[in-house]
Amino acid sequence: MYGLRPIIGRVEPVVRSPLRDQIRQAVLDGLISGRWKPGDRLVERRMAAELGVSQAPVREALRELEALRLIESAPNKGARVRRLTRSDLREVYEVRAGLEETAVRLGTPRAESLRAHLRRLHEAASAGSPHDQVRHGVAFHREIVKASGNTVLLSVWESLGIEVWTHLSIRLFRTHPHENAADHEPLVEAFERGDPEAGVLLREHVLGYAPAEP
């Protein structure tokens, strides 16, 4: 089938809306799991037939993923999964670090809320679940950005696709998933004591996960 494995094991027609969001998530899941490799083609017509939808929402979903720089398209060649480099990932982390540092300057997150996310992160680490580690780690950082009270900042942060880039960073450039629960403890402590350097600490924390240049 068009040089790719199926999107999911057994495809069920997409019946809930918005279709674009569900299709986008199906593609993201395939990228995260490694189902689709760099260079693999994503054929609108075949994806639409497999999902039981028209080509329009598939095209919209692929355009959103192209905006995230996860896929690329060319005239008469269609869409392909991008061949991501360490520089691609590092640029995302650099922008993310700046946004989160700015968020701290605008508002302070509740330490109790961060503690709750941190507990879930530790539980995921103990259970050996990299997927849940990423999910709870992203939720921890989202709590910080939300506390800024700036909806534009939160929207821009969300638009980076933090969770999928984190998964890709682990899968492409680390031999084993990084157990990072303990690394979040100093951040919580900084917010608990009202450290004026909490934003700087947060920026350095985020950049610490950026893939190093070869």
Side-chain angles (χ1 to χ4, degrees):
M1 104 154 244
Y2 58 100
L4 302 177
R5 288 188 287 271
I7 295 175
I8 51 179
R10 179 180 177 182
V11 176
E12 298 291 342
V14 177
V15 295
R16 297 183 300 276
S17 62
L19 294 177
R20 181 193 65 227
D21 291 346
Q22 294 180 66
I23 296 165
R24 177 178 180 273
Q25 190 58 51
V27 178
L28 285 176
D29 289 344
L31 294 175
I32 289 171
S33 68
R35 186 184 299 277
W36 288 327
K37 303 295 191 298
D40 281 347
R41 293 184 64 203
L42 300 171
V43 182
E44 284 182 18
R45 182 182 67 259
R46 292 173 180 171
M47 291 175 69
E50 189 171 351
L51 290 167
V53 300
S54 68
Q55 285 184 237
V58 173
R59 187 176 303 117
E60 291 174 3
L62 293 179
R63 283 175 180 166
E64 289 186 5
L65 295 175
E66 187 171 7
L68 282 175
R69 300 165 61 227
L70 294 170
I71 67 171
E72 58 189 0
S73 61
N76 304 317
K77 293 184 179 180
R80 290 183 181 275
V81 179
R82 277 193 68 208
R83 298 185 184 279
L84 301 174
T85 66
R86 291 176 182 270
S87 294
D88 290 325
L89 287 160
R90 187 163 190 87
E91 287 178 0
V92 173
Y93 278 97
E94 287 170 346
V95 173
R96 174 187 170 184
L99 291 173
E100 294 191 23
E101 183 181 17
T102 298
V104 173
R105 291 204 300 267
L106 296 175
T108 304
R110 295 172 62 248
E112 314 88 85
S113 298
L114 295 180
R115 282 279 174 206
H117 289 299
L118 185 56
R119 282 195 299 274
R120 298 185 190 104
L121 186 53
H122 276 293
E123 290 167 1
S126 297
S129 173
H131 179 80
D132 285 342
Q133 281 182 255
V134 172
R135 181 164 60 90
H136 293 306
V138 171
F140 178 100
H141 287 270
R142 184 181 290 109
E143 189 74 35
I144 294 173
V145 179
K146 282 175 60 179
S148 71
N150 189 307
T151 56
V152 174
L153 178 61
L154 177 60
S155 178
V156 173
W157 185 88
E158 293 278 9
S159 74
L160 292 176
I162 302 296
E163 190 162 341
V164 66
W165 280 106
T166 303
H167 277 291
L168 291 174
S169 181
I170 292 171
R171 184 168 63 78
L172 296 176
F173 300 113
R174 293 174 184 156
T175 304
H176 301 289
H178 188 71
E179 199 275 86
N180 64 353
D183 292 348
H184 288 72
E185 184 70 41
L187 295 174
V188 180
E189 293 174 351
F191 286 119
E192 285 176 332
R193 65 176 180 266
D195 190 335
E197 296 298 311
V200 176
L201 182 64
L202 176 61
R203 184 190 67 217
E204 293 174 350
H205 164 88
V206 172
L207 289 177
Y209 288 98
E213 294 295 340

